[in-house]
């Protein structure tokens, strides 16, 4: 299966938007420079080693989903709905209602891009998750 840098960038951008992580926080969290992060997010020329070095800082992010678009965006949570790596916080911030519409639009964009590449879209689970979050607000 070929790796599509633009698709990885779109998925990483989707993840960072959903998690409400701005560029300055990305730089701080990963120790990477802004240019490398910008290249990844925009799907421009970058090394997969750079991507791996960055992704290891996001323990709730499913790397299989990020790279290949397969499976769920997030690794499984525990039975209380907490991140597996930090039992004291939820995987998503509580004040996420303003981002739901934006995330739905990005899902449509990701879905269209996957279909255009001939991949079977797996965004139904993400759409259901957004609806679930919307219902809890």
């Amino acid at each position: 299966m070929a790796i599509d840098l633009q698709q990885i960038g779109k998925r990483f951008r989707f993840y960072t938007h959903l998690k409400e992580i701005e560029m300055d926080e990305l730089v701080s969290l990963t120790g990477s420079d802004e240019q490398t992060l910008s290249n990844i997010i925009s799907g421009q020329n970058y090394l997969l080693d750079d991507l791996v070095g960055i992704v290891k800082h996001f323990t709730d992010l499913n790397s299989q989903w990020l790279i290949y678009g397969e499976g769920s965006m997030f690794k499984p949570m525990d039975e209380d709905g907490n991140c597996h790596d930090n039992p004291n916080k939820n995987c998503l911030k509580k004040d996420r209602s303003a981002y739901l519409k934006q995330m739905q639009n990005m899902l449509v964009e990701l879905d269209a891009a996957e279909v255009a590449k001939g991949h079977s879209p797996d965004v139904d689970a993400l759409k259901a998750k957004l609806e679930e979050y919307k219902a809890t607000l």
Side-chain angles (χ1 to χ4, degrees), residues 2 41 61 65 100 129:
I41 290 171
L61 177 61
W65 173 82
L100 285 175
K129 197 69 158 172

Side-chain angles (χ1 to χ4, degrees), residues 7-8 16 19 34 37 41 58 62 76-77 86 88 90 99-101 103 107 109-110 114 116 119 132 136:
Q7 288 299 94
I8 292 170
T16 58
K19 298 283 288 197
E34 189 171 336
L37 290 164
I41 290 171
F58 302 101
N62 179 353
M77 294 183 281
N86 187 346
N88 297 321
N90 288 325
Y99 289 91
L100 285 175
K101 184 64 177 167
M103 294 302 106
L107 278 173
E109 179 184 333
L110 278 172
E114 289 292 324
H119 299 140
E132 179 183 318
T136 64

Side-chain angles (χ1 to χ4, degrees), residues 12-60:
F12 190 63
R13 180 172 45 114
F14 182 83
Y15 171 81
T16 58
H17 279 267
L18 187 64
K19 298 283 288 197
E20 302 174 18
I21 303 172
E22 300 293 330
M23 182 59 76
D24 58 338
E25 189 177 359
L26 271 175
V27 170
S28 176
L29 285 171
T30 64
S32 186
D33 62 275
E34 189 171 336
Q35 184 61 51
T36 299
L37 290 164
S38 292
N39 285 351
I40 291 171
I41 290 171
S42 65
Q44 294 179 0
N45 192 22
Y46 60 89
L47 299 174
L48 287 179
D49 288 344
D50 291 335
L51 179 67
V52 170
I54 289 166
V55 169
K56 71 180 181 183
H57 297 281
F58 302 101
T59 57
D60 65 337

Side-chain angles (χ1 to χ4, degrees), residues 113-124:
E114 289 292 324
V115 169
K117 292 287 184 182
H119 299 140
S120 174
D122 186 25
V123 298
D124 290 336

